[in-house]
């Protein structure tokens, strides 16, 4: 039936079936719109409108108490943005966010890739180990953040206990509360480093899942041929496997970057934003709940989103094309 | 030894080293959580380096404290578990109700703006939750949904619908069109086709999506904190645990017992459906 209706109209001088086709088209269109509209409404009311409102609030001088009495159109001002850019904490916080995001994104993808390579070939117990490896990703963030806190605690944590006992540490290291720590004379941003490690630990399974799924789709013939040619395992990885994985790696980079850049709960639960881990998302929360300064919090959130959009734009401008070339 | 031989040996060994390190790194924190939850706090303070528990010191007091209601002097987790269950199951059912028709439409039907709708759902994903937090906080305060579980469910639907549509749509498009066309010829309406043909065929992926949505809702923390912090009666387990840690000095062993209670349901659920879940999540990864 479809083959008949979809025959090009030009060959048929007076297509008799056109009215029915149009009817079906219209019916399909109507059903489609009807089926999507519940989703659309929810997304519109709970996501799109709030975002637009945040943008408006960013240009108004409002506190939570005023908002009940004040209408939608308050006094417009650039004061919030001036305060955001003018406060010394903002730039360092943005910098922290960037370091945290890039570190965690790279960390989780590299570890995920290493894990996927190690588990690529089948062996006894692989399913079990694969399942274990997904634990950090599945478990609730509150629970895992608390376990890390206890593990790394200077007085009763097992890490510090072993470190001082077996690894010759002079004194326990306050992993989550110390801003900077000297390792062989070089200052290391300790707390920030720990949160990056946590984020890497929690999200490498995500990269692992995507990479191993892609690896399974790489035709075995390619590598078998390369083995016959006497290539080393490293060469096979570098010249055969890696090029096949690049599109997925690029996708993971974008996804993980976006998610980590906006991340609130992990850092908030681990350090509360102290000791040099004051990422912008945590600052927004603090402005909102500690000072009830809706305008300033909104301005801060909008700036965060704009920075993210600009960075993504740059990424797609420079790498988007490259990735497509690799793919074709 | 040739370079090829050397590398084969080297990577052969490294492979097992990597596997061992990764297993320890992923499993040990969870083992530690379990261990501390059954240890008396004095034993822990006495010897923090000992990572096993002897039969004589094994105790379930931490669990007793966590699972006793507030009226009886405990931490009141049963009520929080109930709240978490209500919110997660509510969000799961409503998300499916909304996402199944949506995903079907996006994967099968050509309609005005269908491509834009797809982009919009993806875009939603990309906006920071903190950007939504401010206005939703204010909006809910205005309409009186602040502090209610219903408000939280609504937010979770919006958060999970894009993921759900993404997961379902790739599965719906694997259902052969010819079956649907045959049904249409037999006089089935679109709704009948969706209910009687597509859904049964896609049942595994619907299950996977449901579980995934449940997990997201169960694990969520930011919105629970923003909307419910002032209402102890409505705390979810995540929020309750965090408030517990924040409040008066509570032994770490009790915190760990709470963490186990919070973690166990999702982990059990996940292992019950691991294959389905990971396939649902990454389907399309090998095509990208």
């Amino acid at each position: 039936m479809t083959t008949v209706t979809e025959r090009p109209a030009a060959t048929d001088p007076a297509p008799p079936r056109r009215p029915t086709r149009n009817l079906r088209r219209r019916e399909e269109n109507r059903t489609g719109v009807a089926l999507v509209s519940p989703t659309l409404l929810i997304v519109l009311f709970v996501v799109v409108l709030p975002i637009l409102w945040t943008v408006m609030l960013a240009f108004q001088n409002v506190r939570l108490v005023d908002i009940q009495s004040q209408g939608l159109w308050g006094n417009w001002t650039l004061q919030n943005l001036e305060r955001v850019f003018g406060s010394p904490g903002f730039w360092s916080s943005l910098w922290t966010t960037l370091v945290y995001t890039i570190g965690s994104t790279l960390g989780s993808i590299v570890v995920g890739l290493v894990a996927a390579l190690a588990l690529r070939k089948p062996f006894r117990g692989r399913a079990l180990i694969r399942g274990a490896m997904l634990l950090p990703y599945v478990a609730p963030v509150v629970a895992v953040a608390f376990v890390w806190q206890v593990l790394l605690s200077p007085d009763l944590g097992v890490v510090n206990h072993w470190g001082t006992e077996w690894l010759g540490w002079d004194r326990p290291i306050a992993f989550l509360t110390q801003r900077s720590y000297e390792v062989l004379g070089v200052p290391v941003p300790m707390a920030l480093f720990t949160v990056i490690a946590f984020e890497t630990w929690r999200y490498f399974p995500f990269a692992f899942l995507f990479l191993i799924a892609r690896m399974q789709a790489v035709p075995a013939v390619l590598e078998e041929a390369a083995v016959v040619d006497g290539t080393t395992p490293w060469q096979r990885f570098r010249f055969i496997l890696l090029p096949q994985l690049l599109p997925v790696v690029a996708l993971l980079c974008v996804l993980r970057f976006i998610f980590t850049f906006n991340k609130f709960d992990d850092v908030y639960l681990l350090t509360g934003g102290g000791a040099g881990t004051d990422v912008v998302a945590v600052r927004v929360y603090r402005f909102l709940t500690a000072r009830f300064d809706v305008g300033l919090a909104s301005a801060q959130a909008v700036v965060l989103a704009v920075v993210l959009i600009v960075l993504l734009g740059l990424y797609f401008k420079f790498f988007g094309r490259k990735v497509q070339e690799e793919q074709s | 030894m040739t370079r090829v031989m050397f590398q084969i040996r080297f990577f052969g060994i490294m492979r097992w080293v990597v596997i061992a390190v990764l297993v320890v790194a992923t499993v040990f924190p969870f083992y530690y959580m379990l261990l501390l939850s059954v240890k008396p706090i004095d034993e822990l303070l006495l010897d923090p380096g000992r990572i096993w528990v002897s039969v004589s010191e094994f105790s379930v007091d931490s669990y007793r404290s966590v699972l006793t209601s507030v009226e009886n002097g405990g931490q009141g987790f049963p009520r929080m578990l109930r709240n978490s269950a209500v919110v997660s199951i509510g969000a799961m059912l409503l998300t499916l109700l909304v996402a199944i028709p949506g995903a079907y439409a996006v994967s099968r039907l050509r309609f005005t703006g269908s491509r834009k709708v797809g982009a919009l759902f993806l875009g939603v994903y990309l906006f920071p939750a903190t950007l939504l937090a401010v206005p939703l906080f204010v909006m809910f305060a205005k309409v009186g949904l602040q502090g209610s579980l219903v408000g939280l469910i609504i937010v979770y639907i919006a958060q999970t619908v894009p993921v759900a549509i993404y997961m379902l749509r790739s599965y719906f498009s694997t259902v052969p069109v010819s079956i649907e066309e045959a049904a249409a010829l037999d006089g089935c309406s679109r709704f009948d086709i969706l209910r009687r043909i597509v859904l049964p065929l896609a049942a595994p992926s619907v299950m996977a999506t449901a579980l995934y949505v449940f997990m997201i809702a169960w694990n969520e923390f930011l919105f629970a904190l923003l909307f419910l912090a002032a209402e102890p009666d409505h705390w979810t387990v995540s929020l309750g645990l965090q408030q517990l840690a924040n409040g008066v000095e509570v032994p770490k062993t009790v915190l760990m017992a709470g963490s186990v209670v919070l973690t166990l349901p999702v982990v059990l659920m996940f292992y019950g459906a691991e294959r389905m879940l990971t396939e649902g999540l990454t389907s399309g990864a090998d095509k990208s």
Side-chain angles (χ1 to χ4, degrees), chain B:
Chain B
M1 194 156 60
T2 65
R3 213 162 60 140
V4 175
M5 279 304 292
F6 169 76
Q7 281 201 13
I8 288 175
R9 287 236 183 110
F10 176 75
F11 286 117
I13 297 167
M14 279 311 284
R15 177 161 166 251
W16 293 107
V17 174
V18 163
I19 290 174
V21 169
L22 284 174
V23 168
V24 171
T26 47
V27 175
F28 183 72
F30 294 93
Y31 169 74
Y32 191 69
M33 187 199 283
L34 259 178
L35 172 88
L36 259 51
S37 70
V38 294
K39 234 182 193 201
I41 184 77
D42 330 334
E43 297 288 335
L44 173 68
L45 292 171
L46 218 56
D47 187 2
R50 204 155 55 84
I51 54 159
W52 64 87
V53 58
S54 62
V55 182
S56 61
E57 66 184 36
F58 183 92
S59 110
V60 289
D61 286 352
S62 303
Y63 286 98
R64 198 167 295 143
S65 154
V66 160
L67 291 175
T68 307
S69 64
V70 182
E71 297 88 66
N72 296 323
Q75 309 296 351
F77 270 50
R79 176 185 274 156
M80 297 179 201
L81 281 165
R82 211 203 59 208
N83 290 338
S84 275
V86 167
V87 170
S88 312
I89 294 173
M92 176 181 91
L93 293 178
L94 290 172
T95 297
L96 282 185
L97 197 70
V98 170
I100 287 175
Y104 179 75
V106 172
S107 84
R108 267 290 189 272
L109 305 176
R110 271 170 306 162
F111 56 92
T112 335
S114 58
R115 306 197 111 208
K116 282 185 198 111
V117 167
L120 176 70
F121 291 160
L122 211 72
V124 162
Y125 227 167
L126 310 186
F127 277 101
T130 41
L131 200 60
L132 301 177
V134 182
L136 284 177
F137 188 74
V138 177
M139 262 164 67
F140 281 16
K142 259 195 165 163
V143 295
L145 277 176
Q146 194 191 26
S148 83
L149 296 181
V150 178
L152 205 58
I153 292 178
I154 295 175
V155 180
Y156 289 173
I157 300 172
Q159 297 276 302
T160 52
V161 151
V163 199
I165 288 193
Y166 162 82
M167 282 174 76
L168 286 171
R169 137 209 221 173
S170 58
Y171 207 90
F172 282 175
S173 50
T174 64
V175 174
V177 187
S178 53
I179 302 184
E180 288 182 40
E181 279 172 355
L185 281 180
D186 288 342
C188 275
S189 69
R190 285 275 177 208
F191 181 75
D192 283 335
I193 295 177
L194 180 55
R195 194 171 59 97
R196 313 242 298 253
I197 295 169
V198 179
L199 270 189
L201 282 172
S205 97
V206 173
M207 271 292 288
T209 310
L211 284 176
Y212 202 69
V213 171
F214 181 93
M215 273 168 50
I216 295 178
W218 183 274
N219 293 353
E220 207 282 334
F221 172 70
L222 169 63
F223 288 112
L225 175 67
L226 270 175
F227 298 149
L228 303 180
E231 296 280 332
D233 283 353
H234 291 165
W235 284 353
T236 58
V237 187
S238 279
L239 179 58
L241 190 61
Q242 187 262 348
Q243 298 283 332
L244 186 63
N246 241 4
V248 277
E249 199 53 46
V250 175
K252 296 285 184 231
T253 48
V254 173
L255 273 186
M256 289 299 104
S259 300
V260 173
V261 171
L262 171 61
T263 308
L264 216 52
V266 264
V267 168
L268 288 181
M269 217 171 238
F270 178 79
Y271 282 120
E274 189 210 321
R275 179 121 306 171
M276 247 162 42
L277 274 172
T278 52
E279 269 164 23
L281 188 64
T282 58
S283 68
D286 54 344
K287 281 167 256 152
S288 65

Side-chain angles (χ1 to χ4, degrees), chain A residues 159-172:
Chain A
V159 172
N160 270 307
H161 189 84
W162 285 348
T164 43
E165 196 149 308
W166 314 105
L167 300 177
W169 298 351
D170 303 336
R171 56 200 158 80

Side-chain angles (χ1 to χ4, degrees), chain A residues 254 306-320:
Chain A
V254 176
V306 169
V307 171
L308 180 62
I309 290 169
V310 168
L311 287 175
L312 282 178
L314 286 176
Y315 177 88
F316 282 117
K317 191 157 192 285
F318 288 112
F319 292 101

